[in-house]
Amino acid sequence: MAAADPPLDASAPKRRLSLSRRASLFMAAVLTAFALVLGAAFALLQQQEARTSAKQEVEAYVGIIARNAGPRIHDAPRLTRYLEIAEGWREIQRTAIVAPDGTVIAAVGAAESPAERRLIEAVRARGDVVSIAGEGVAIAAAPILSDGRPVAYLIAHQRTHPLYAQGATQIAIFIAIAAAFLVAAVALTLIFVRRTVAPLAQLIAFAERTSTHGRGERIDIKTGDEFEALAAAFNRMMARLDESMRRVQRLAYVDAATNLPNGEKFARELNAFTARADANGPTGAVIVIDFARLTRLLETLGQDASHDLMARVAERLRAAVRTVDRVVRTQSFQEKPTFIARLRQHEFALIAPSFPSPSNVVRYAQMLTSAINQPFEWRDLKLNLDARCGAAIIAHDGGDAETLTRNARLALHAAKDAPGAVKMFTSALDRDVEDRIALEHEMRAAIERNEFRAYFQPKVNLADGRIEGCEALARWIRPDRTIVSPAVFIPLAEETGLISQVADAIMREACWKAAAWAREGIGVQVAVNVSALQFRDEAFPDHVLKILDQAGLPAFCLELELTESIAMENPDQALRLIEPLRERGVRFSIDDFGCGHSSLAALTRLPFDVLKIDQQFVRGLERDRHAPAIIETILAMAATLDMQVVAEGIEQEREAQFLRRRGCLIGQGFLYGAAEPAEAFAERLRAQHRAAAPVRGKSDAA
Ligand code: C2E
Ligand code: MG
Ligand code: MG
């Protein structure tokens, strides 16, 4: 089944020579060397033996000839004949009889050799047979005795047998045995080593599968040797690796607090779903659910408590999904369950795979929010989760996880004001976002170019129309001189964090201008609006004091306007930020009073000096029958709390008259002037100053 084998890693080293082949080669080399050594030793022994036997033979020969030559010693012709008869004996090559004085008495065969003389000397000295064996020849000498005395010496040369001749058969046999042994040993080694290392091939295949697929099944080797131990170690290692992988996957894909899949897992799941989605199949939807209300609460909780809270919220979400699934998705929910994940701190998301039509998605989401938003108790707290949903239709509103989640979030953003706190994604939302992105881009450049200016709107004394102060309002003046309203850019600046830079520019300009007017003798108090983001920064008081210092404006000339919602977001922090500034003389006012839903009791805990009645009540004086009563109540309350009141948005003299009669002292509105550039406003102050001067002069004289 080679075809089913996993593709091997190309980087794996190729095995050029298997272990069994190596062992066989090694064995062959050892055996060959052994055979060679053995052969050489054998040859040496053979040679040694050949020499010894040649010596013995030539010694025997000279012994016999010498004995027989003794009686004939004085008869040279007989002696020679005798030698000639003996010459054919065995391998004798030369036989000679030498007199004691060195003359050759008789000789047959080969020529004399230089060794003969030395040998005769040795025989003379020893008195007996002496022999030597050299390369290819053995020479022996013996004394020829007559009456017991040496009368001459007999020398004989015998050819020793060449090696091959001596042991050729044995050597041939030896070589044949050695070769057979070699072949058998190599074959046996090959078989033995192959068998022994067979589990190694299994281990290698296992390791290769593991390295290719990341995980391998168990390996089963029962050899009872090191391989079995190694296989067991491999199995243990794989089990541990599997366990670690599972743990890593859990950490990477599961949210610890809620045990729900996390954002990463959600994106994978959604991508897999969109890849499988059938264009003509049932409608699938991505629904993002946000519990923005919980932000503040979660910030105040420790980790354990916030985990516990979110676990409960997730439980409630699961239960709500189960219920709504049954009602809206009827049968399909069982075969295609809804996938729930936690994306961010208080944001969850669903992949609901099948709806009969898109309108069912809205119904589903609305039922879901109303189920989740049932009052909820947690650790003695009664919570309203205030969930909102944004939904995007799979394939229609995006073909991948990123686009779908983004679009569902855009819808979520717009869900705040939508019925049932549910909004479906539309392309108009997308265009809004594009416009906002373009505007943000433009705004960053505008900050660089210093295009944000403070315009000043007068706050007047309703009794005599005198300017008592002013409010600095931000304007963005584009290079083409068009003016962008703060209603357009302030919310975006707050969202993008650019508000700090814009607000800083306005605060600086307001303080600088107010200080310049004060130096000119036309000074009035200036009010500056504070955004939520600025008021979350603990360094805010120091920052304001620094600006006052740099501008040279006395603190009592500055008023800071906070909306109810900013002040009430975190009353304790608000108090911390207000106190140090108030101590230095900065005044604080509640802007747009009456439109928030803050509790009056909580609001009165904060040390405000001024209360600004929201313009909707002033404008409502004509149309809304409740508006006069509301304004009267606010005025009465302010009097009780000893707060000054400023009425905003006065456009008609009738409105001014109503307010004046009810004891409201200060007003602001188009009736007295819209916000205008610093120079125009300064001109207005100068005019007021000039007009007042003669009056002052007269009264001084009086
Ligand atoms: P706000 O602080 O309540 O400012 C009063 C708004 O009412 C100003 O709008 C002003 O032009 C407008 N207004 C004044 N009198 C009348 C009137 O008689 N009729 C009508 N219809 N409107 C009148 P503007 O300048 O468009 O500012 C809108 C809001 O933007 C401000 O409301 C304030 O909340 C915010 N804003 C303005 N400048 C800044 C700033 O520098 N920083 C911050 N954080 N917010 C600012
Ligand atoms: Mg204001
Ligand atoms: Mg206002």
Side-chain angles (χ1 to χ4, degrees):
M1 292 283 283
D5 280 354
L8 296 185
D9 186 356
S11 65
K14 289 199 178 61
R15 292 188 296 280
R16 285 193 300 272
L17 215 52
S18 69
L19 275 180
S20 50
R21 280 203 193 139
R22 275 187 211 193
S24 306
L25 279 179
F26 176 71
M27 184 53 97
V30 168
L31 285 178
T32 310
F34 183 64
L36 285 175
V37 169
L38 217 63
F42 183 68
L44 273 175
L45 276 173
Q46 284 286 329
Q47 194 180 26
Q48 200 63 39
E49 205 175 302
R51 281 186 182 174
T52 312
S53 73
K55 269 171 78 178
Q56 282 168 355
E57 279 176 15
V58 79
E59 274 177 18
Y61 173 75
V62 292
I64 294 165
I65 301 297
R67 265 197 304 282
N68 292 331
R72 303 178 184 99
I73 193 68
H74 299 295
D75 185 356
R78 260 186 80 198
L79 213 50
T80 307
R81 264 199 314 281
Y82 177 64
L83 292 187
E84 278 166 355
I85 292 165
E87 200 204 347
W89 199 68
R90 294 216 167 173
E91 299 284 336
I92 296 297
Q93 287 175 311
R94 167 184 164 82
T95 314
I97 295 171
V98 180
D101 61 356
T103 50
V104 176
I105 300 167
V108 291
E112 186 185 339
S113 119
E116 283 176 14
R117 301 278 156 191
R118 288 202 308 276
L119 214 62
I120 290 169
E121 285 312 311
V123 172
R124 203 197 300 263
R126 217 176 133 195
D128 202 359
V129 179
V130 172
S131 65
I132 53 166
E135 201 52 56
V137 68
I139 308 172
I144 300 174
L145 302 175
S146 178
D147 303 330
R149 284 188 302 110
V151 286
Y153 299 94
L154 182 80
I155 301 274
H157 290 208
Q158 174 169 321
R159 192 150 41 102
T160 54
H161 297 292
L163 194 59
Y164 64 82
Q166 295 249 347
T169 331
Q170 289 100 312
I171 286 174
I173 293 169
F174 174 78
I175 288 175
I177 292 174
F181 194 70
L182 190 72
V183 170
V186 167
L188 283 174
T189 311
L190 206 64
I191 293 166
F192 173 75
V193 176
R194 269 212 183 140
R195 285 225 171 141
T196 317
V197 302
L200 197 59
Q202 244 178 302
L203 281 167
I204 290 167
F206 172 75
E208 278 170 350
R209 272 199 305 280
T210 310
S211 68
T212 314
H213 302 303
R215 134 192 317 223
E217 67 282 19
R218 277 179 62 81
I219 179 166
D220 201 18
I221 293 178
K222 290 268 174 285
T223 50
D225 56 14
E226 287 88 338
F227 287 116
E228 190 177 331
L230 191 60
F234 258 64
N235 285 332
R236 276 199 304 279
M237 190 173 82
M238 286 315 298
R240 280 182 164 227
L241 221 59
D242 267 4
E243 176 55 32
S244 313
M245 283 291 284
R246 270 198 291 278
R247 210 172 320 136
V248 166
Q249 289 209 338
R250 233 187 116 64
L251 285 176
Y253 295 127
V254 178
D255 170 57
T258 59
N259 242 344
L260 284 175
N262 63 9
E264 188 69 34
K265 180 75 184 161
F266 177 80
R268 280 172 174 250
E269 199 69 21
L270 186 51
N271 274 330
F273 185 84
T274 52
R276 286 195 309 264
D278 172 9
N280 302 317
T283 307
V286 171
I287 301 174
V288 178
I289 305 149
D290 189 54
F291 299 94
R293 263 285 173 87
L294 295 180
T295 322
R296 286 262 132 208
L297 179 59
L298 286 169
E299 271 173 17
T300 61
L301 297 176
Q303 201 194 25
D304 285 348
S306 62
H307 273 201
D308 184 49
L309 172 61
M310 289 322 288
R312 289 287 315 281
V313 170
E315 233 170 70
R316 168 162 271 233
L317 175 63
R318 275 199 203 98
V321 167
R322 270 199 301 276
T323 313
V324 181
D325 261 347
R326 272 198 190 86
V327 179
V328 183
R329 291 180 55 223
T330 55
Q331 278 111 37
S332 68
F333 79 91
Q334 262 165 342
E335 59 214 57
K336 292 177 178 169
T338 302
F339 183 86
I340 312 175
R342 183 184 183 191
L343 301 192
R344 298 177 186 169
Q345 201 191 28
H346 44 73
E347 189 184 80
F348 292 78
L350 312 180
I351 306 172
S354 56
F355 291 98
S357 77
S359 63
N360 292 79
V361 179
V362 183
R363 207 173 130 232
Y364 183 93
Q366 283 177 340
M367 284 180 75
L368 192 70
T369 40
S370 69
I372 301 169
N373 287 341
Q374 297 301 314
F376 167 67
E377 270 189 37
W378 176 76
R379 297 190 177 179
D380 300 334
L381 286 176
K382 225 184 178 105
L383 301 175
N384 179 356
L385 293 177
D386 197 18
R388 287 179 212 153
C389 289
I393 304 291
I394 292 172
H396 182 267
D397 296 335
D400 58 84
E402 199 182 327
T403 319
L404 283 164
T405 315
R406 168 189 173 270
N407 290 347
R409 278 201 181 113
L410 286 184
L412 177 72
H413 236 71
K416 193 165 53 172
D417 311 313
V422 168
K423 181 90 187 164
M424 296 294 294
F425 171 76
T426 61
S427 45
L429 286 176
D430 212 15
R431 279 196 298 280
D432 277 1
V433 172
E434 275 170 25
D435 292 349
R436 279 148 55 95
I437 290 172
L439 191 67
E440 181 191 338
H441 205 71
E442 210 187 324
M443 211 156 121
R444 288 184 192 276
I447 292 171
E448 293 284 307
R449 290 195 298 263
N450 208 11
E451 286 173 15
F452 290 90
R453 290 264 94 91
Y455 270 39
F456 297 87
Q457 185 181 32
K459 287 185 193 171
V460 301
N461 186 324
L462 291 178
D464 56 12
R466 268 184 67 81
I467 301 173
E468 297 275 333
C470 62
E471 177 174 0
L473 292 160
R475 295 289 179 270
W476 173 2
I477 301 161
R478 285 189 165 129
D480 62 3
R481 309 307 298 167
T482 52
I483 296 175
V484 188
S485 150
V488 175
F489 66 80
I490 294 279
L492 182 64
E494 291 202 317
E495 245 173 66
T496 52
L498 291 174
I499 188 71
S500 318
Q501 283 153 282
V502 174
D504 206 51
I506 302 301
M507 172 103 63
R508 278 176 195 282
E509 192 179 351
C511 292
W512 245 270
K513 291 281 151 55
W517 299 329
R519 283 196 296 274
E520 203 187 314
I522 54 170
V524 285
Q525 204 168 45
V526 64
V528 176
N529 294 285
V530 176
S531 78
L533 205 73
Q534 283 173 289
F535 213 61
R536 280 190 207 134
D537 182 5
E538 294 281 347
F540 177 72
D542 289 342
H543 190 62
V544 173
L545 290 174
K546 201 163 134 202
I547 293 178
L548 283 173
D549 219 44
Q550 288 167 347
L553 183 71
F556 63 84
C557 291
L558 179 68
E559 185 175 302
L560 295 177
E561 296 190 6
L562 300 178
T563 60
E564 274 174 68
S565 55
I566 297 176
M568 284 300 109
E569 197 179 272
N570 184 351
D572 293 331
Q573 193 193 24
L575 201 61
R576 270 205 310 282
L577 297 186
I578 292 173
E579 276 305 342
L581 288 167
R582 261 192 112 233
E583 271 168 28
R584 295 285 295 269
V586 177
R587 280 157 47 103
F588 278 85
S589 57
I590 307 178
D591 203 355
D592 304 341
F593 184 75
C595 12
H597 309 282
S598 42
S599 99
L600 203 59
L603 204 60
T604 50
R605 270 183 48 215
L606 294 174
F608 284 104
D609 307 279
V610 183
L611 198 155
K612 295 185 78 179
I613 302 178
D614 189 66
Q615 36 184 289
Q616 63 168 317
F617 301 114
V618 177
R619 237 174 293 134
L621 279 175
E622 304 276 297
R623 303 183 294 267
D624 183 355
R625 60 193 176 88
H626 298 299
I630 294 173
I631 292 182
E632 278 168 8
T633 314
I634 295 176
L635 284 168
M637 190 192 80
T640 317
L641 294 171
D642 199 20
M643 286 166 90
Q644 202 186 57
V645 177
V646 175
E648 291 187 292
I650 307 175
E651 293 182 0
Q652 310 286 336
E653 180 48 42
R654 287 192 301 277
E655 294 158 358
Q657 215 166 5
F658 174 88
L659 290 159
R660 218 178 283 129
R661 286 210 195 107
R662 299 298 185 286
C664 177
L665 297 180
I666 313 285
Q668 181 181 349
F670 293 165
L671 180 65
Y672 305 105
E676 56 192 350
E679 210 24 66
F681 182 69
E683 210 33 69
R684 205 190 261 261
L685 288 178
R686 282 185 204 112
Q688 170 171 291
H689 191 70
R690 280 196 298 274
V695 178
R696 257 205 318 266
K698 265 185 222 158
S699 62
D700 286 353

